[in-house]
Amino acid sequence: MAGQVAPRERGATRIADRVVAKIAARAAREAVSEVPADGSPPRATVSVHRESARIRVSLELDYPCDIGGQCGAVRRHVAERVEALAGMDVPEVAVQVERLHSAQVRAAAQGRTR
């Protein structure tokens, strides 16, 4: 056929690791109900091999909360978004909770401030 290029001659698309990490961090932010007032937004690191991405997400959560439920939601959402936006298989999403922010401790600290 005239004007069409054979598949092997089209080339390949490579998505940089840092781009996949940004997609994952954004997806984690979307999955967490809200970032703690004095907390940091989620961060992600990735290891991409061919068309597969292993992702590690670090985040901070308000406490008390369902930590296991939040982590599960983050894992699912990050995997879905990376697969949809980058077209990569995501066999592993490890979630690490870096810090818990207690609303009670925050309120007590504000009460002591003069």
Side-chain angles (χ1 to χ4, degrees):
M1 295 182 177
Q4 288 196 357
V5 179
R8 67 178 175 270
E9 296 176 12
R10 289 186 196 147
T13 301
R14 183 180 180 315
I15 300 173
D17 292 8
R18 65 188 173 96
V19 173
V20 178
K22 285 183 180 185
I23 293 170
R26 177 60 185 232
R29 244 186 327 265
E30 293 169 358
V32 174
S33 54
E34 62 184 58
V35 175
D38 55 341
S40 301
R43 296 175 314 283
T45 57
V46 300
S47 174
V48 176
H49 183 64
R50 298 189 184 168
E51 294 184 18
S52 178
R54 295 189 184 280
I55 301 168
R56 177 173 301 278
V57 176
S58 299
L59 51 83
E60 298 179 9
L61 297 173
D62 272 327
Y63 184 79
C65 72
D66 177 9
I67 297 170
Q70 287 276 24
C71 291
V74 168
R75 272 193 292 279
R76 283 187 298 279
H77 194 67
V78 167
E80 289 171 4
R81 297 299 286 161
V82 170
E83 287 173 2
L85 296 174
M88 294 182 170
D89 180 44
V90 182
E92 178 185 346
V93 177
V95 178
Q96 180 174 342
V97 178
E98 295 275 328
R99 186 173 172 197
L100 295 173
H101 295 267
S102 173
Q104 295 169 342
V105 171
R106 226 178 3 254
Q110 288 175 350
R112 289 190 302 245
T113 307
R114 295 183 193 213

